[in-house]
Amino acid sequence: MSFQIGIVGLPNVGKSTLFNAITKSKVEAANYPFATIDPNVGVVAVPDERLAKLAALEKSEKIVPTTIEFVDIAGLVSGAHKGEGLGNQFLSHIREVDAIMEVVRVFENDDIIHVQGSVNPVRDMETIAIELQLADLQTVEKRLETVSKQAKSGDREAIIKKQVLEKYKTTLEAGHMANTVELTDEEKANSKDIQLLTSKPFLYIANSEFNLTTKQFEHLTLEPTTFSSNEASAKLEALSPLLIDAKLESELSELTDAERAEYLNELGLPESGLDKIINKAYKTLGLITFITAGPKESKAWTCTQGSKAPQAAGKIHTDFENGFIRAEVIQWDKLLEANGYVGAKERGWLRVEGKEYIVQDGDVVHFRFSP
């Protein structure tokens, strides 16, 4: 299962530089708005040291990691919901992704133009939030016109959908994201086709500058706004942004795995920006990884946290889910400790689980099914 993360932000905040770095692509990173017009998609293998160890144990012919698709989308400007800049293209592309990664600029550089004239990440995030909320409000109002007519006929699904749309409308008009709306199970089941931009999960990236001398990220600098500087800093920190230096990540992307690990160690950084983004994305989207390992291949699979064994099996093939019989399960480190499946069976570590088993991150699973 591959999922998509859309990289968004104002022009010249470092989106394309970061995209290039994490996908090792060569998209134009120019010092002017809209260097990225059509969305550029890069598929990134999710680093997982467990796969290599299991592949060595099983003498696997190949290793197949799970992947993430990053989509670099044209810079957003004020008025995008009305079509300003490249607003219409931006909004159509962003509707397709599973999560939104918003990049805000916190570094100072007089040579790189800021579209609003100064560096202020809180103001920039508010600009993007307002544009997305207004775009969603337009969508909700149009849908309400249609659904309200259907609800008058007494159609239960239309009535529930109308309730959901009205909740969204109230929330958006109050200046809040749609993902803050609480829905009942019935409302969720009857409104899956209502796809709003602000109902998606958000990850925030603060494109900062890593000081190679002090080996620390520079402190965020904020100009006075309607908030005091302290209030603005608190507002930004409350979103738990990942501090990443896109320029440094670009340099790291040019190194071999061994060189990159050595350089990160020298800098005192425990992981690369890509690793931080992937870990945050998994937590934000509630995802885990399970593994299938054997002589043919060792492969990672992504599923939603809380998935039962048949649902996880369905990520491999629908036949596995429909004909599910049982799952043979062991945690990856226990399989290594037992030196393989034979040793695991001898020690009683290879468990047989049924349809109600909830798959855990790091489970090595062999599914039994009836064709």
Side-chain angles (χ1 to χ4, degrees):
M1 169 186 162
S2 182
F3 55 97
Q4 281 195 331
I5 296 179
I7 307 177
V8 305
L10 298 180
N12 294 347
V13 298
K15 291 188 303 87
S16 293
T17 300
L18 183 60
F19 175 82
N20 290 344
I22 61 182
T23 64
K24 297 186 180 180
S25 299
K26 296 298 178 186
V27 177
E28 181 180 12
N31 181 24
Y32 56 87
F34 314 125
T36 308
I37 297 177
D38 294 322
N40 298 281
V41 180
V43 180
V44 176
V46 175
D48 194 333
E49 63 177 11
R50 300 172 296 190
L51 277 179
K53 293 177 180 179
L54 290 168
L57 175 71
E58 290 298 309
K59 298 181 174 59
S60 303
E61 293 178 14
K62 61 180 179 177
I63 297 174
V64 185
T66 190
T67 60
I68 297 178
E69 289 184 10
F70 287 95
V71 185
D72 185 25
I73 302 170
L76 182 67
V77 295
S78 183
H81 72 283
K82 297 183 293 185
E84 295 293 334
L86 294 169
N88 290 333
Q89 292 105 308
F90 173 95
L91 297 174
S92 64
H93 294 144
I94 200 175
R95 291 185 198 282
E96 308 302 321
V97 302
D98 298 295
I100 296 172
M101 187 170 85
E102 184 175 326
V103 181
V104 293
R105 173 177 165 179
V106 297
F107 67 87
E108 299 279 359
N109 189 325
D110 293 338
D111 294 328
I112 300 177
I113 303 163
H114 191 291
V115 72
Q116 296 203 38
S118 62
V119 175
N120 192 317
V122 173
R123 178 203 59 209
D124 294 351
M125 286 190 293
E126 288 175 342
T127 296
I128 292 173
I130 289 169
E131 290 305 320
L132 297 183
Q133 288 162 14
L134 289 173
D136 278 348
L137 191 55
Q138 289 178 347
T139 300
V140 167
E141 288 172 343
K142 287 179 182 177
R143 290 293 301 274
L144 262 174
E145 289 180 15
T146 303
V147 171
S148 295
K149 294 175 184 176
Q150 296 170 341
K152 287 180 181 178
S153 67
D155 180 88
R156 177 65 181 172
E157 184 177 340
I159 293 171
I160 298 299
K161 196 169 291 186
K162 182 173 178 286
Q163 288 177 194
V164 173
L165 288 166
E166 287 172 342
K167 281 187 178 182
Y168 281 141
K169 186 173 187 289
T170 300
T171 298
L172 291 165
E173 287 177 336
H176 302 299
M177 299 289 208
N179 58 19
T180 62
V181 173
E182 292 187 9
L183 300 177
T184 66
D185 289 341
E186 184 180 22
E187 287 174 336
K188 289 177 184 176
N190 286 281
S191 62
K192 291 179 181 178
D193 65 326
I194 302 175
Q195 297 294 323
L196 300 180
L197 302 171
T198 64
S199 65
K200 298 178 185 294
F202 277 72
L203 297 78
Y204 294 94
I205 305 295
N207 187 10
S208 185
E209 185 176 353
F210 187 79
N211 190 311
L212 298 178
T213 302
T214 62
K215 297 184 178 179
Q216 290 182 332
F217 283 96
E218 298 292 351
H219 293 297
L220 307 186
T221 57
L222 294 169
E223 288 190 353
T225 60
T226 51
F227 309 97
S228 72
S229 292
N230 288 339
E231 288 173 328
S233 294
K235 190 177 179 70
L236 181 62
E237 289 171 8
L239 296 172
S240 301
L242 295 176
L243 282 176
I244 290 177
D245 184 336
K247 185 178 178 182
L248 174 61
E249 292 301 317
S250 184
E251 294 172 3
L252 288 169
S253 72
E254 301 297 327
L255 303 177
T256 65
D257 290 345
E259 290 171 337
R260 184 163 54 253
E262 183 179 351
Y263 191 28
L264 286 170
N265 186 55
E266 288 177 8
L267 297 175
L269 293 171
E271 57 187 351
S272 70
L274 175 60
D275 291 333
K276 288 200 288 187
I277 290 169
I278 288 173
N279 290 333
K280 185 80 168 181
Y282 267 68
K283 288 178 183 177
T284 301
L285 290 167
L287 302 174
I288 63 167
T289 300
F290 70 91
I291 301 165
T292 54
K296 185 177 180 180
E297 65 181 19
S298 286
K299 185 169 183 175
W301 304 86
T302 304
C303 69
T304 305
Q305 191 170 16
S307 294
K308 293 182 179 180
Q311 294 171 306
K315 299 299 179 185
I316 300 175
H317 199 286
T318 52
D319 288 350
F320 283 33
E321 181 174 6
N322 296 335
F324 179 87
I325 298 174
R326 65 180 183 274
E328 296 171 357
V329 185
I330 184 172
Q331 266 288 307
W332 72 278
D333 53 344
K334 301 302 286 185
L335 184 59
L336 289 176
E337 186 180 339
N339 201 33
Y341 291 105
V342 174
K345 287 179 181 178
E346 291 174 350
R347 299 184 191 195
W349 291 352
L350 191 65
R351 310 186 312 276
V352 175
E353 303 286 358
K355 292 183 177 180
E356 296 303 309
Y357 176 70
I358 296 175
V359 174
Q360 304 297 311
D361 186 71
D363 274 350
V364 181
V365 190
H366 183 71
F367 294 106
R368 300 290 184 181
F369 71 104
S370 176

